[in-house]
Amino acid sequence: MTATRRNILMGAAALSAAVVTPEMARAAAALNVADDAGAADWALATRDLEADVAPRAMRRIRGRAPAGLEGTLFRNGPGKFRRAGGSATHWFDGDGLMRSFDIAGGQVTLRARFADTNKRRTETELDAVVTPGFGTPGRTGARIDSVDDANCANTAVMVAGDKVWALWEGGSPLQMDAETLATEQYVTLKPDLKGMPFQAHPRFDPDGTVWNVGANGAQVIVWHLNMGGDLIEAQVVTLPRASYFHDFTATDRHLIFVLQPWIHERNGMPFTTQFGWRPEMGTQVVVLDKADLTRSRVYELPTFSFFHLGDAWADSDGTIQFDVAAGKDIEFAVEGARVLVEGRGRVPGEPTKLALVTLHADGRAEMVSSGMTGEFPQANPRFAGLRRSLTVHTAGETTGRPLPTGLAVQDWSTGRADAFHFGTGHVVEEAVFVPRPGGTRERDAWLIVPSIDLGAGVTQLHAFDAGNVSDGPLVTWAADVALPAGFHGAWRG
């Protein structure tokens, strides 16, 4: 199927038709999870936020901010799941909540604001989650005339000039004011491509230009933008299989798609019901030439699942390497994320482990595990698409208990990891590298990472020295509110 606007809109019509009878008893149980004595301690990570958070100062509780650390961390993630007339039943389907942590003069100002999406307006009016999503079935009352009527705007954020774009997976970016976080409009990169998907993980060239993709079965639209978010070019390519992928990666010369054996087999909603897990097929890696997207190469690897990849790089001999948070199967994606919203019980699925994939010029491919539990791999943006050694990732997640409790920096050149664990009293979110002014090495950076202090019931923000993570935070600030756990962030210096 060609990934045209018409087919995207036909998919929207299918969304609208995919409704079921409201599950009122389950919705009521979900609505009460925060007050239920049986709720797990980690349930605070998916507790609803009922309103925007006005700007407020965070209190410094440990250390001092390093000189030169000035800028804003933007974070996005689901902020509300439950309504009286029906609730979201999957972690990926909550209303998007944009957060900003503005660091200036050693102080932090926090604000958070819900994305004013068509979906949120409809469901606020009905006081029910009715829109089908990644793992949530639709219900009577869903209003979907375009894909963006189902857009949660809840996954990631991209800085575009003086704006930020709230990114989802299946629709348009949602533009918000970077200072106030006020919602402005859905972004149309080209009139005849309105509503085409723009996924949650853009990749950046060394010159700052942006690559992203949007998937529709085996057809992928490749977006190429300038630093301000204006379209340079959009092209459609066909991949060898219609595999689910949430992320892709890139070197300075290549686009790289990892095609796990979670294969599109049928239409329908929620989205997860469209795919079948076929481990016997193995995992493929497709490498495209940025200068000519018709030039491709396919590599074969043993089966693994994934959501997130690290930045890739290519050596002069043609070897390509990148890291991946590799899993055993898709049990967490289908069932584990559902239990997270329920807020109690054992969470199915095994934690992912950080691994390094090597694609050799002679066609061989291999993947070597670090042996360390890890998710949300990030690299120093000064080295985007270029050779590097360091990856920061979350750490400490264990089977049966969801969500990370620490972070670590993996050094692929030595095989060693430098880690810090807060313990089970914290839920640790994705960390981002912030290069130090004047620095040139990978380690010349800070790591900025939020966490939820479960005991105190508040969100904290930490800054680490990227070269000495095990020493603990250089500085920690605490808010007077706990925000739900977010997914992805971006730094604006």
Side-chain angles (χ1 to χ4, degrees), residues 403-481:
L403 306 172
T405 61
L407 74 159
V409 171
Q410 175 73 23
D411 186 335
W412 293 112
S413 66
T414 64
R416 293 194 293 268
D418 183 27
F420 181 84
H421 293 275
F422 289 92
T424 56
H426 279 251
V427 169
V428 177
E429 302 183 47
E430 175 193 71
V432 299
F433 271 91
V434 175
R436 290 180 188 165
T440 58
R441 303 175 307 160
E442 276 190 87
R443 294 183 186 276
D444 293 337
W446 299 292
L447 302 174
I448 309 301
V449 55
S451 73
I452 305 170
D453 183 330
L454 301 175
V458 298
T459 288
Q460 296 182 352
L461 186 70
H462 315 275
F464 287 79
D465 181 342
N468 296 283
V469 171
S470 57
D471 288 348
L474 298 170
V475 60
T476 296
W477 297 273
D480 58 359
V481 63

Side-chain angles (χ1 to χ4, degrees), residues 2 43 79 103 209 217 220 250 266 308 355 410 422 449 480:
T2 302
I103 305 176
T209 56
V220 175
R266 66 191 68 86
H308 300 116
Q410 175 73 23
F422 289 92
V449 55
D480 58 359

Side-chain angles (χ1 to χ4, degrees), residues 198-199 201-207 209-215 219-225 233-240 245 247-259 284-299 306 309-314 318 320-322 357 359 384-386:
F198 188 91
Q199 285 193 319
H201 290 283
R203 296 287 171 178
F204 299 86
D205 271 344
D207 65 3
T209 56
V210 184
W211 295 83
N212 201 4
V213 300
Q219 302 290 320
V220 175
I221 185 166
V222 177
W223 303 100
H224 190 196
L225 314 179
E233 188 175 16
Q235 300 181 62
V236 173
V237 299
T238 302
L239 299 177
F245 64 91
D247 196 1
F248 76 108
T249 190
T251 75
D252 58 341
R253 305 191 303 274
H254 313 94
L255 302 179
I256 300 166
F257 299 91
V258 178
L259 306 181
Q284 293 181 324
V285 181
V286 180
V287 178
L288 303 182
D289 187 332
K290 284 181 177 177
D292 181 358
L293 297 181
T294 66
R295 296 177 58 187
S296 66
R297 190 166 190 180
V298 179
Y299 296 81
F306 82 103
L309 307 171
D311 283 334
W313 68 92
I320 294 173
Q321 293 185 289
F322 61 91
V357 173
L359 310 176
L386 304 176

